[in-house]
Amino acid sequence: LPELEIGIKNKKPVILYKGRELDDSFSTGEQIQIALAIQVALNPTGDNFIVIPNAQDLGSKLRDVQKACMEYNIQYLVEMTRPDEEFVVEVIDSEKDII
């Protein structure tokens, strides 16, 4: 991500996104994009894995996140809750099943 950079705060390095220090004020989608970028930068040719928490908050953006994971060859676990529905664990082993 071009907006992701290392800055200095109190003489210590900090990660900045769009000029702001990383914290919980970023949207879930922004946090996931940042995690993807950092994961790929740290391990560009290896096996990468992330957890997408509270995916229900992403709405239609979840598909964009899934596509980005596939583009960067990152395996992912989607955590999503749906009120008034039975607890289900689903394992999807193929990208064609989600798009």
Side-chain angles (χ1 to χ4, degrees), residues 32-45:
I32 292 168
Q33 286 180 322
I34 293 165
L36 288 172
I38 292 170
Q39 184 78 21
V40 171
L42 291 173
N43 192 12
T45 59

Side-chain angles (χ1 to χ4, degrees), residues 2-3 15 22 25 55 67 69-70 76 78 80-82 97:
E3 302 94 346
I15 298 174
L22 292 182
S25 67
K67 287 178 184 178
C69 287
M70 287 185 284
Y76 58 94
V78 174
M80 181 182 295
T81 58
R82 294 185 178 127
D97 292 337

Side-chain angles (χ1 to χ4, degrees), residues 2-61:
E3 302 94 346
L4 194 60
E5 61 185 336
I6 301 293
I8 301 293
K9 181 178 180 181
N10 299 327
K11 298 182 182 181
K12 293 185 179 182
V14 293
I15 298 174
L16 302 173
Y17 182 65
K18 296 183 178 178
R20 294 178 24 222
E21 187 174 357
L22 292 182
D23 59 23
D24 291 340
S25 67
F26 288 97
S27 72
T28 302
E30 287 174 317
Q31 291 178 34
I32 292 168
Q33 286 180 322
I34 293 165
L36 288 172
I38 292 170
Q39 184 78 21
V40 171
L42 291 173
N43 192 12
T45 59
D47 294 330
N48 291 300
F49 181 86
I50 67 163
V51 175
I52 303 171
N54 304 317
Q56 69 277 359
D57 295 343
L58 292 173
S60 62
K61 298 241 182 232

Side-chain angles (χ1 to χ4, degrees), residues 80-92:
M80 181 182 295
T81 58
R82 294 185 178 127
D84 303 323
E85 286 192 23
E86 182 179 339
F87 176 77
V88 176
V89 174
E90 238 182 301
V91 177
I92 301 173

